[in-house]
Amino acid sequence: MSKILVVDGNSLMHRAFHALPLLTDEKGRYTNAVFGFLGMLLRLLKDEQPTHAAVAFDMHAPTFRHKQFEAYKAGRKATPEELRPQFDLCKQALQAMGVAILEREGFEADDILGTLARMAQDKQAEAVLVTGDRDALQLVAPHAVVLYTKRGISETDRMDEQAVLDKWGVMPDRVPDLKGLMGDSSDNIPGVPGVGEKTARTLLQKFGDLESVLAHAQEAGGPKLRASLQTYADQARMSRDLATIDTHIPGGFDWDSLHFTYPDVEKVRPAFTELGFVSLLKRMGAMPAETGQTEQTAAFPPVEEKRLDQLEDLRHLMDAHSGPWAVLWEAERISLAADETTAYEVPFAMTLLGDGVDPDQARQLVAALLANPQIDKIVFDAKSLAHALLPLNVRLAGDVQDAMLAAYVCNPAQGQKGLDKLCQAYQICPEGQTATAAHLMQLFRLLDEQMHRDEVYTVYHDLELPLWPVLFAMECEGFRVDTAVLKQMSDAYGERLHSIEEQVHALAGHPFNLNSTKQLGEVLFDELKLPALKKTKTGYSTDIAVLEQLTDVHPIIPLMIEYRKLSKLKSTYLDGLQAVADEHGRVHTRFTQNVTATGRISSLEPNLQNIPVRTEQGREIRRAFIASAPGRLLVTGDYSQIELRILAHMAQEDHMRDVFAHGGDIHTSTAALVNGVPIEQVTKQMRSAAKAVNFGIVYGISDFGLSQNLHITRKQAAATIDQYLNTYPRIRSYMDACIAQGKTDGYVTTLFGRRRYTPELRSKNYNQRSFGERIAMNAPIQGTAADIIKAAMIAVYDRLAKELPDAKLILQVHDELIVDCAPQDAEKVQQLMHACMEHVVELSVPLEVEVSQGENWLEAK
């Protein structure tokens, strides 16, 4: 018997878009909705084995329903900008697959589903209709079922006549009558005021259909309901008509043209490869060539999960396989996989391991596997796993692949996604399923293929993968702080804060909570009548930007600015560092590799990268960071103007390269060129402005940003930037080329090959496009600086381990590395840091590193 599969394209594309995180292809085009839609379509084609198939789409033109009721679907949210262009990509993929695409002006996708369902009945064929629109339930019949997508795109309810009756209390042909009474807010169908789903169902069960309900309005419940049915009878009829699907679109469709056979995977390979859908290609390769043929082995077959309840079973499994292994180590279980088809769960509950068996024996067995240098491993977040193994005195060893880092390299902008989310995004696991070690193995294979295809494997292999052991060692080592100094400073800050509080209360005329935005706003703007520059939904804004603009208006403002700065430093660092220091006085920050889109390393819990360096108070906090033991020293190596040197190299700007090559002052030189004066006539103000523009260009500053930095008008700032780019024309050309690459390829790259995708450049929103242009211009520079510091960390760590094992790399902050060493090793450490940091990569300008030493961080800096 023939069977037709008809999919509501608009419905499923919207559901896929909201179910999956944003994905982009190598051109920077958003693809998450297309990926999810095609993944579900492939599953449907495999499960249903249709002889005919079609995907129906709405058209932008008004339908006959809009002509009948102008407010039909009014109030619906506009299609997201990230989704809109994906419809064309989806249609291109469907064409490659040989799936018919159906649209008809004046009609909706529902009407196409209805017409094809009616045609299927005429042809004595089955119809499977796939949609997330409940209106389509009226199409259910003995020959037709609706697969209703109830959750994301991974779960569907198969709705036959009995299922519709059970869910709605009416047969399918009464669904339009139900909508006529209860209305439908999603389509702005009004229905009868005061009639909800339960009442509508009761009325239809009692009287039969809408016309009978209206004819017996006087018998329908209380006076309010009776009056509403009489008053809004015509509106109920109109609502029913709006909800009724047209099953006779004029002209119909050519049934034979909808015939479907599974395409050769090679026919769809170009389209799917361009979109980056490697996993879907593999799934297609598992489909039968013709309907009715035996299904071949799937690329990603369902994972079989087995539970190892006895310790001997675990031993036998590990003895039987030499690797590679995928290992997930979690709080209550371990998941192991030797291949992509079977996952073994190792619970830690003692009763499941047998009487008298210590659950730590299971941990120790798996830990021994992880420590075996001869066995290859695939893990997720190797650094965290290494910390988990510390209590067992085990170190992760051998060839260890990290799927978390691989995913980050494939798309740095996707942020910190867990394994479950990544497996869902790559269509390995359905939504809501917990990933196993076998799924991890599947994921890494896909990521490995993607890294090679996108030519970013070296970023993973040469930078990210060897970096995690360095960060792990730094986290374990920690940075010692002098808690006595911190307490002394905290007490002094506390006294100053108390003094400021008293002065502010005196100026306000009464006490109030300085930490309350609401109370402060009332004092400043209601009582003292200061100009209110900004208001929020909750009241006056008193953020630092507002306060700084009011500095000269009233003496209370400078006091509040100082109060906030000191309060922040006291709570976050002076008190916060004391609270997190261990028994040896060491602070152990946590470094993360997969957070920033530029590739920069982040420091968390506590964040040691945010200690201010431009204020006296911030510098004094660094005095509390000391060497690990009395007599030892801290040696720091800090790159000098690394971003500007990278810019000079990448833009091939000769004047800048010449200044750096001869050790000149780039800011003074820039000021002289921009202002057209000799270097000796450059004023301090000129140099400051040139410095702001130099660094602003690196970070993609706008005329507004520069105007704020230099306290000039936006017009003056725009002229300054333009003058700068005229002075350095190759920088302008370089930045134009970056934007062009971002638009053409969908990404820009660092010197090391790290990609930063730029989908913002395709946005129809001006602000988004402008943001995308700034990303395209500065990501290669900032990203290259991040890559260089990572490469330097690896080089310094490796050479210290080999040549000076007593010296420890303990911190990375922006472009600075800090080493703790014995005094007799300090000179060798300085030489080593110079060599590693300055020659980790060769540019057309020299990389300059300032190296110094001291007993504490401030002295060393």
Side-chain angles (χ1 to χ4, degrees), residues 19 34 42 48 146 160 196 324 346 355 425 486 540 617 709 712 786:
V34 187
L42 290 177
E48 299 297 334
V146 167
D160 57 14
V346 183
D355 294 337
L486 290 173
Y540 297 109
Q617 296 97 331
N709 288 350
I712 57 178

PDB file of all heavy atoms in Angstrom, residues 19 34 42 48 146 160 196 324 346 355 425 486 540 617 709 712 786:
ATOM      1  N   ALA A  19      14.575  24.426  19.769  1.00  0.00           N
ATOM      2  CA  ALA A  19      15.010  23.256  20.520  1.00  0.00           C
ATOM      3  C   ALA A  19      16.519  23.128  20.581  1.00  0.00           C
ATOM      4  O   ALA A  19      17.066  22.562  21.532  1.00  0.00           O
ATOM      5  CB  ALA A  19      14.414  21.984  19.901  1.00  0.00           C
ATOM      6  N   VAL A  34      17.857  24.057  10.439  1.00  0.00           N
ATOM      7  CA  VAL A  34      17.978  23.137   9.304  1.00  0.00           C
ATOM      8  C   VAL A  34      18.506  21.790   9.786  1.00  0.00           C
ATOM      9  O   VAL A  34      18.018  20.732   9.396  1.00  0.00           O
ATOM     10  CB  VAL A  34      18.922  23.713   8.223  1.00  0.00           C
ATOM     11  CG1 VAL A  34      18.893  22.836   6.985  1.00  0.00           C
ATOM     12  CG2 VAL A  34      18.539  25.143   7.874  1.00  0.00           C
ATOM     13  N   LEU A  42      15.011  12.673   8.464  1.00  0.00           N
ATOM     14  CA  LEU A  42      15.685  11.411   8.181  1.00  0.00           C
ATOM     15  C   LEU A  42      15.134  10.288   9.054  1.00  0.00           C
ATOM     16  O   LEU A  42      14.952   9.160   8.594  1.00  0.00           O
ATOM     17  CB  LEU A  42      17.189  11.559   8.400  1.00  0.00           C
ATOM     18  CG  LEU A  42      17.935  12.430   7.388  1.00  0.00           C
ATOM     19  CD1 LEU A  42      19.398  12.555   7.778  1.00  0.00           C
ATOM     20  CD2 LEU A  42      17.817  11.864   5.987  1.00  0.00           C
ATOM     21  N   GLU A  48       8.995   5.519   8.755  1.00  0.00           N
ATOM     22  CA  GLU A  48       7.717   5.390   8.044  1.00  0.00           C
ATOM     23  C   GLU A  48       7.836   4.697   6.688  1.00  0.00           C
ATOM     24  O   GLU A  48       6.866   4.176   6.162  1.00  0.00           O
ATOM     25  CB  GLU A  48       7.088   6.782   7.852  1.00  0.00           C
ATOM     26  CG  GLU A  48       6.786   7.505   9.153  1.00  0.00           C
ATOM     27  CD  GLU A  48       5.760   6.770  10.010  1.00  0.00           C
ATOM     28  OE1 GLU A  48       4.930   6.020   9.441  1.00  0.00           O
ATOM     29  OE2 GLU A  48       5.789   6.950  11.238  1.00  0.00           O
ATOM     30  N   VAL A 146      -1.762  11.831  12.460  1.00  0.00           N
ATOM     31  CA  VAL A 146      -0.931  13.019  12.665  1.00  0.00           C
ATOM     32  C   VAL A 146       0.153  12.673  13.675  1.00  0.00           C
ATOM     33  O   VAL A 146      -0.140  12.153  14.754  1.00  0.00           O
ATOM     34  CB  VAL A 146      -1.756  14.218  13.167  1.00  0.00           C
ATOM     35  CG1 VAL A 146      -0.840  15.332  13.672  1.00  0.00           C
ATOM     36  CG2 VAL A 146      -2.653  14.755  12.055  1.00  0.00           C
ATOM     37  N   ASP A 160      -4.229   8.981  16.252  1.00  0.00           N
ATOM     38  CA  ASP A 160      -5.279   8.437  15.401  1.00  0.00           C
ATOM     39  C   ASP A 160      -6.613   8.939  15.944  1.00  0.00           C
ATOM     40  O   ASP A 160      -6.656   9.801  16.839  1.00  0.00           O
ATOM     41  CB  ASP A 160      -5.210   6.913  15.362  1.00  0.00           C
ATOM     42  CG  ASP A 160      -5.296   6.289  16.754  1.00  0.00           C
ATOM     43  OD1 ASP A 160      -5.668   6.990  17.721  1.00  0.00           O
ATOM     44  OD2 ASP A 160      -4.983   5.090  16.882  1.00  0.00           O
ATOM     45  N   GLY A 196     -13.983  28.349  27.465  1.00  0.00           N
ATOM     46  CA  GLY A 196     -12.671  27.739  27.405  1.00  0.00           C
ATOM     47  C   GLY A 196     -12.754  26.336  26.852  1.00  0.00           C
ATOM     48  O   GLY A 196     -13.812  25.856  26.420  1.00  0.00           O
ATOM     49  N   PRO A 324      41.189   2.049  22.187  1.00  0.00           N
ATOM     50  CA  PRO A 324      40.954   3.195  23.085  1.00  0.00           C
ATOM     51  C   PRO A 324      39.659   3.043  23.885  1.00  0.00           C
ATOM     52  O   PRO A 324      38.762   2.310  23.494  1.00  0.00           O
ATOM     53  CB  PRO A 324      40.864   4.380  22.129  1.00  0.00           C
ATOM     54  CG  PRO A 324      40.348   3.781  20.858  1.00  0.00           C
ATOM     55  CD  PRO A 324      40.955   2.412  20.767  1.00  0.00           C
ATOM     56  N   VAL A 346      29.224   1.824  35.642  1.00  0.00           N
ATOM     57  CA  VAL A 346      29.844   1.302  36.860  1.00  0.00           C
ATOM     58  C   VAL A 346      29.291   2.096  38.035  1.00  0.00           C
ATOM     59  O   VAL A 346      29.757   3.203  38.315  1.00  0.00           O
ATOM     60  CB  VAL A 346      31.378   1.419  36.811  1.00  0.00           C
ATOM     61  CG1 VAL A 346      32.005   0.807  38.063  1.00  0.00           C
ATOM     62  CG2 VAL A 346      31.928   0.768  35.553  1.00  0.00           C
ATOM     63  N   ASP A 355      28.287  -8.014  48.170  1.00  0.00           N
ATOM     64  CA  ASP A 355      28.483  -7.894  49.612  1.00  0.00           C
ATOM     65  C   ASP A 355      29.962  -7.769  49.959  1.00  0.00           C
ATOM     66  O   ASP A 355      30.807  -8.529  49.469  1.00  0.00           O
ATOM     67  CB  ASP A 355      27.897  -9.125  50.313  1.00  0.00           C
ATOM     68  CG  ASP A 355      26.385  -9.179  50.170  1.00  0.00           C
ATOM     69  OD1 ASP A 355      25.796  -8.108  49.936  1.00  0.00           O
ATOM     70  OD2 ASP A 355      25.812 -10.274  50.292  1.00  0.00           O
ATOM     71  N   ALA A 425      23.048  18.640  20.106  1.00  0.00           N
ATOM     72  CA  ALA A 425      23.284  19.543  18.982  1.00  0.00           C
ATOM     73  C   ALA A 425      23.802  18.797  17.757  1.00  0.00           C
ATOM     74  O   ALA A 425      23.485  19.158  16.621  1.00  0.00           O
ATOM     75  CB  ALA A 425      24.275  20.638  19.383  1.00  0.00           C
ATOM     76  N   LEU A 486      46.435  41.184  53.980  1.00  0.00           N
ATOM     77  CA  LEU A 486      45.055  41.343  53.502  1.00  0.00           C
ATOM     78  C   LEU A 486      44.145  41.824  54.625  1.00  0.00           C
ATOM     79  O   LEU A 486      43.298  42.705  54.420  1.00  0.00           O
ATOM     80  CB  LEU A 486      44.538  40.020  52.939  1.00  0.00           C
ATOM     81  CG  LEU A 486      45.148  39.547  51.623  1.00  0.00           C
ATOM     82  CD1 LEU A 486      44.651  38.145  51.280  1.00  0.00           C
ATOM     83  CD2 LEU A 486      44.814  40.508  50.487  1.00  0.00           C
ATOM     84  N   TYR A 540      15.544  55.209  39.366  1.00  0.00           N
ATOM     85  CA  TYR A 540      16.704  55.939  38.877  1.00  0.00           C
ATOM     86  C   TYR A 540      17.917  55.018  38.744  1.00  0.00           C
ATOM     87  O   TYR A 540      18.156  54.158  39.574  1.00  0.00           O
ATOM     88  CB  TYR A 540      17.061  57.083  39.827  1.00  0.00           C
ATOM     89  CG  TYR A 540      16.000  58.141  39.978  1.00  0.00           C
ATOM     90  CD1 TYR A 540      15.269  58.247  41.165  1.00  0.00           C
ATOM     91  CD2 TYR A 540      15.734  59.036  38.948  1.00  0.00           C
ATOM     92  CE1 TYR A 540      14.296  59.219  41.320  1.00  0.00           C
ATOM     93  CE2 TYR A 540      14.760  60.018  39.095  1.00  0.00           C
ATOM     94  CZ  TYR A 540      14.033  60.111  40.280  1.00  0.00           C
ATOM     95  OH  TYR A 540      13.077  61.065  40.409  1.00  0.00           O
ATOM     96  N   GLN A 617      45.085  51.428  44.896  1.00  0.00           N
ATOM     97  CA  GLN A 617      44.523  50.384  45.746  1.00  0.00           C
ATOM     98  C   GLN A 617      44.702  49.006  45.115  1.00  0.00           C
ATOM     99  O   GLN A 617      45.050  48.028  45.800  1.00  0.00           O
ATOM    100  CB  GLN A 617      43.024  50.645  45.985  1.00  0.00           C
ATOM    101  CG  GLN A 617      42.745  51.930  46.747  1.00  0.00           C
ATOM    102  CD  GLN A 617      42.396  53.066  45.801  1.00  0.00           C
ATOM    103  OE1 GLN A 617      42.847  53.100  44.655  1.00  0.00           O
ATOM    104  NE2 GLN A 617      41.591  53.999  46.297  1.00  0.00           N
ATOM    105  N   ASN A 709      36.082  57.802  25.961  1.00  0.00           N
ATOM    106  CA  ASN A 709      37.435  57.675  26.517  1.00  0.00           C
ATOM    107  C   ASN A 709      38.176  59.006  26.565  1.00  0.00           C
ATOM    108  O   ASN A 709      38.896  59.303  27.519  1.00  0.00           O
ATOM    109  CB  ASN A 709      38.250  56.677  25.705  1.00  0.00           C
ATOM    110  CG  ASN A 709      37.797  55.253  25.928  1.00  0.00           C
ATOM    111  OD1 ASN A 709      36.999  54.985  26.809  1.00  0.00           O
ATOM    112  ND2 ASN A 709      38.303  54.331  25.127  1.00  0.00           N
ATOM    113  N   ILE A 712      35.453  63.722  24.243  1.00  0.00           N
ATOM    114  CA  ILE A 712      35.246  64.605  23.101  1.00  0.00           C
ATOM    115  C   ILE A 712      33.931  64.215  22.456  1.00  0.00           C
ATOM    116  O   ILE A 712      33.301  63.228  22.826  1.00  0.00           O
ATOM    117  CB  ILE A 712      36.401  64.496  22.076  1.00  0.00           C
ATOM    118  CG1 ILE A 712      36.548  63.029  21.596  1.00  0.00           C
ATOM    119  CG2 ILE A 712      37.706  64.990  22.693  1.00  0.00           C
ATOM    120  CD1 ILE A 712      37.631  62.831  20.558  1.00  0.00           C
ATOM    121  N   ALA A 786      45.930  35.716  22.161  1.00  0.00           N
ATOM    122  CA  ALA A 786      45.566  34.615  23.057  1.00  0.00           C
ATOM    123  C   ALA A 786      46.323  33.346  22.693  1.00  0.00           C
ATOM    124  O   ALA A 786      46.807  32.620  23.576  1.00  0.00           O
ATOM    125  CB  ALA A 786      44.064  34.373  22.993  1.00  0.00           C
TER     126      ALA A 786
END
